[in-house]
Amino acid sequence: MTMMIIIFFTLALASIVMIISSILAKKTILDREKNSPFECGFDPKGSARLPFSLRFFLIAVIFLIFDVEITLLLPLVPILYLTPLFSWLCTGIFFLIILLLGLYHEWNQGALEWAD
């Protein structure tokens, strides 16, 4: 019964905080100047939503993927003396082969080419 009271109190408190924050966060000023993008005091010359290069986005995603994979390789160094050498080598080489195959596939598909 105590657990139910705690859960109810927590949900009620969270709901009250969310309702109060949504009430306080309402913008009541409907001014055209305040809603327009600010560009050094001048009216903007172009659209605020300019498209960006899809190649740049793809390179950024590939960088993030390989960056995360490198952080997965880092724990191999401290466990060198804690595991058998054969198991450590098989795991490390298998992971590196997967990385190199992924890099070769991206290179082969032309995803690493910045300009045509």
Side-chain angles (χ1 to χ4, degrees), residues 38-111:
F38 180 72
E39 193 172 307
C40 300
F42 300 106
D43 289 330
K45 294 185 173 42
S47 174
R49 303 258 183 211
L50 295 176
F52 60 94
S53 173
L54 191 60
R55 292 273 185 191
F56 175 76
F57 179 73
L58 188 61
I59 294 287
V61 168
I62 291 171
F63 170 77
L64 285 175
I65 289 171
F66 281 105
D67 193 41
V68 168
E69 288 174 347
I70 286 175
T71 60
L72 292 174
L73 276 174
L74 286 177
L76 281 177
V77 176
I79 66 166
L80 174 63
Y81 299 110
L82 301 174
T83 58
L85 185 62
F86 181 73
S87 172
W88 185 83
L89 278 175
C90 286
T91 304
I93 289 173
F94 181 70
F95 196 75
L96 284 174
I97 286 173
I98 290 174
L99 277 175
L100 290 174
L101 286 175
L103 180 65
Y104 175 72
H105 178 69
E106 294 295 332
W107 184 28
N108 194 22
Q109 295 295 319

